[in-house]
Amino acid sequence: DSVNTIVNDAGLLTGHNTDYSAVAQLLDRAGIDPGARFLLRGSGGMAKAVAAALRDRGHRSGVIVARNAASGPRLAQLYGFDWAESDRGLTAPLIVNVTPLGMQGPDAEALAFSPQAIDAALTVFDVVALPEETPLMRAAQAAGKRRISGAEVAVLMEFGGSAEDLARTCHAHPTLSEMMKESVLDAYGRVLNM
């Protein structure tokens, strides 16, 4: 439904959405039941890619949770899902955050979902890649939930592999993942190694 990458193959231009592809592959790899109900927090561009991937995998019962009273309902209607302004009282086996909640700034320690939604979930998916461990990912780990991280999304989008694929590969130091992390931290003015 949207394009973020255009490939020029000898003059033939083909559009792809790497967000969509990465999310669909990670949901498949995690064995997420396409019949599972979900809560999707957010209504921006990444939310659109995730909603499309969920719909195309066969998910029919889900709620777009978005404060934006214009884009939230519009996204929900586009893909045939419900909309709610908050997750108060809502639970689902799969919860997905596609907002900046948990990133740097004023919302760095904000939980994207209520503790009740996290407790009721089987799988918690946070597309935020930095920091690697968001408050949502920490809460999911503490609750013993299956987790899918934004780092996995980024690796799959960039390299076509999963974080596990990289972890199973033996690298000389610095490893590819260390170099990637150092580069990202450097971009934010932070240092990993001295």
Side-chain angles (χ1 to χ4, degrees), residues 41-60:
R41 170 148 332 259
S43 59
M46 183 63 164
K48 184 176 182 185
V50 173
L54 289 163
R55 179 208 53 203
D56 293 351
R57 287 187 79 248
H59 293 266
R60 298 292 173 252

Side-chain angles (χ1 to χ4, degrees), residues 157-175:
M157 286 171 56
E158 187 64 32
F159 301 107
S162 70
E164 291 85 15
D165 294 334
L166 287 178
R168 286 192 297 262
T169 305
C170 194
H171 298 281
H173 285 280
T175 65

Side-chain angles (χ1 to χ4, degrees), residues 119 174 177:
D119 287 343
S177 62

Side-chain angles (χ1 to χ4, degrees), residues 92-162:
L94 172 63
I95 58 176
V96 185
N97 175 45
V98 295
T99 72
L101 293 173
M103 292 177 71
Q104 293 179 344
D107 293 324
E109 293 304 314
L111 265 179
F113 287 95
S114 69
Q116 296 77 16
I118 296 167
D119 287 343
L122 300 175
T123 303
V124 177
F125 189 168
D126 194 346
V127 302
V128 172
L130 289 172
E132 191 174 334
E133 286 293 319
T134 64
L136 180 60
M137 289 286 92
R138 288 192 303 269
Q141 183 173 11
K145 304 303 176 178
R146 177 176 29 197
R147 303 181 318 151
I148 303 172
S149 73
E152 292 176 87
V153 175
V155 167
L156 195 56
M157 286 171 56
E158 187 64 32
F159 301 107
S162 70

